[in-house]
Amino acid sequence: NDDLLIRQVVDHGDGGGAVDENSLVNADHHFTIFKRKFGKVYATQEEHDYRFSVFKANLRRARRHQKLDPAAVHGVTQFSDLTPREFRRQFLGLNRRLRLPSDAHKAPILPTND
Amino acid sequence: LPMDFDWRDHGAVTPVKNQGSCGSCWSFSTTGALEGANFLATGDLVSLSEQQLVDCDHECDPEEKDSCDSGCSGGLMNSAFEYTLKSGGLMREEDYPYTGTDRGACKFDKNKIAAKVANFSVVSLDEDQIAANLVKNGPLAVAINAVFMQTYIGGVSCPFICSKRLDHGVLLVGYGAASYAPIRLKEKPYWIIKNSWGENWGENGYYKICRGHNVCGVDSMVSTVAAVSTS
């Protein structure tokens, strides 16, 4: 059933970066396309191999996201060689320790009928 | 309220920007909201400087003095509005361009202010009020949990399970009445969100997330800002 759900939303044309049931089998091919598309170059073979392992983990993650979020398309993005922790550190940045001031002005309630 | 609304169609939204490898999303959310408010106040769409916020805004939590806006290490949109109100305003993007690093000294020039904050408010956790404030006051600064955004390519994101732990600042620019959700076999309304990861991410830099259930905490921290005309 999961595969059936995925087939309903994934573009099977050129892939467009979306994941499908074959993505993990062809992970090295997808990684080659990913590196070319996003201009990724790694300094050493060790770094390359590590990033490939992260990439494969993110393919599995994208499949999980696809199952949990079937109305969207999930797959390979520019962040596919980053661990979730690296992604959060480098590309997010909402400081949760900062809070709204207790005296923050609240927007007046607006009419929403008509 | 209109069934569909998109501030991009009304000229209130600048092109998608790219924060690079820097946790400055909060500054892009802040400038996006003020760019829209300034457009409503003046009729001119002016791209505003995130780097000014990254370099110069160190506004702190009034109750926790060591929790402050801190460039690529993170910040909060409301603190940035407070800084902008206190400092006098924001400069143009071209006068204080983005570098994506936070090692530079503050180069704010009061003589080159392009937009000023008149006031700002938090919007209640009510999707009709969020939509009403969006339509009336311009794009809104919102926070979201971005876990599904790392793998997002397109469509309307409506995950069955998503943490409401907020970790990313973005800009709410519109909403749509219906996008077909195959799993639910019905039309689903959605929010249109401008992100700051470049045009090659998502749907030309934009994210669609379904409305109605505070999905990924998108309704939890919403701010509206009003601008003063400087012309």
Side-chain angles (χ1 to χ4, degrees), chain A residues 55-113:
Chain A
F55 180 83
K56 284 188 286 188
N58 277 326
L59 284 181
R60 289 189 289 272
R61 197 155 161 262
R63 271 200 80 174
R64 286 197 302 276
H65 282 185
Q66 188 68 79
K67 289 179 181 178
L68 283 168
D69 188 14
V73 179
H74 289 273
V76 176
T77 69
Q78 66 223 65
F79 308 118
S80 288
D81 62 347
L82 299 177
T83 65
R85 185 174 184 169
E86 288 170 328
F87 171 70
R88 282 196 301 274
R89 198 181 65 237
Q90 294 177 35
F91 294 96
L92 307 184
L94 195 81
N95 189 342
R96 282 193 301 272
R97 288 184 304 165
L98 280 164
R99 290 167 299 176
L100 293 174
S102 53
D103 61 347
H105 182 252
K106 293 183 176 57
I109 300 300
L110 298 173
T112 54
N113 294 329

Side-chain angles (χ1 to χ4, degrees), chain B residues 162-215:
Chain B
C162 183
S163 168
K164 291 179 173 55
R165 187 180 155 116
L166 306 175
D167 55 16
H168 189 43
V170 288
L171 187 71
L172 181 60
V173 302
Y175 57 83
S179 174
Y180 186 62
I183 189 72
R184 292 178 168 87
L185 300 175
K186 63 178 181 180
E187 301 282 313
K188 289 286 293 179
Y190 58 90
W191 296 117
I192 304 167
I193 284 175
K194 183 187 182 188
N195 198 6
S196 50
W197 296 340
E199 289 187 341
N200 292 328
W201 176 85
E203 291 195 355
N204 300 313
Y206 283 80
Y207 183 55
K208 288 179 185 164
I209 188 166
C210 62
R211 281 177 68 178
H213 316 284
N214 190 21
V215 173

Side-chain angles (χ1 to χ4, degrees), chain A residues 100 104-110, chain B residues 7 29-30 32-38 40 77-78 81-82 85 117-124 129-143 170-172 221-227:
Chain A
L100 293 174
H105 182 252
K106 293 183 176 57
I109 300 300
L110 298 173
Chain B
W7 273 114
S29 177
T30 303
L34 188 53
E35 285 165 356
N38 190 56
L40 265 69
M77 290 78 85
N78 278 65
F81 289 137
E82 187 74 31
L85 193 62
V117 170
N119 60 64
F120 62 95
S121 315
V122 295
V123 180
S124 69
Q129 283 302 308
I130 293 170
N133 274 277
L134 174 79
V135 172
K136 183 168 187 283
N137 299 328
L140 304 173
V142 303
V170 288
L171 187 71
L172 181 60
M221 188 188 286
V222 180
S223 305
T224 178
V225 64

Side-chain angles (χ1 to χ4, degrees), chain A:
Chain A
N1 283 340
D2 286 339
D3 287 343
L4 180 64
L5 294 178
I6 289 170
R7 274 196 292 275
Q8 287 180 310
V9 296
V10 168
D11 171 15
H12 284 276
D14 65 356
V19 286
D20 62 20
E21 52 268 38
N22 296 316
S23 296
L24 279 166
V25 178
N26 300 320
D28 52 349
H29 173 65
H30 286 283
F31 192 51
T32 301
I33 294 171
F34 164 78
K35 286 185 292 183
R36 187 166 63 232
K37 182 174 180 182
F38 297 109
K40 300 277 185 172
V41 178
Y42 305 112
T44 64
Q45 187 62 43
E46 287 74 19
E47 175 70 6
H48 178 277
D49 294 347
Y50 174 65
R51 289 299 154 193
F52 183 41
S53 70
V54 172
F55 180 83
K56 284 188 286 188
N58 277 326
L59 284 181
R60 289 189 289 272
R61 197 155 161 262
R63 271 200 80 174
R64 286 197 302 276
H65 282 185
Q66 188 68 79
K67 289 179 181 178
L68 283 168
D69 188 14
V73 179
H74 289 273
V76 176
T77 69
Q78 66 223 65
F79 308 118
S80 288
D81 62 347
L82 299 177
T83 65
R85 185 174 184 169
E86 288 170 328
F87 171 70
R88 282 196 301 274
R89 198 181 65 237
Q90 294 177 35
F91 294 96
L92 307 184
L94 195 81
N95 189 342
R96 282 193 301 272
R97 288 184 304 165
L98 280 164
R99 290 167 299 176
L100 293 174
S102 53
D103 61 347
H105 182 252
K106 293 183 176 57
I109 300 300
L110 298 173
T112 54
N113 294 329
D114 196 15

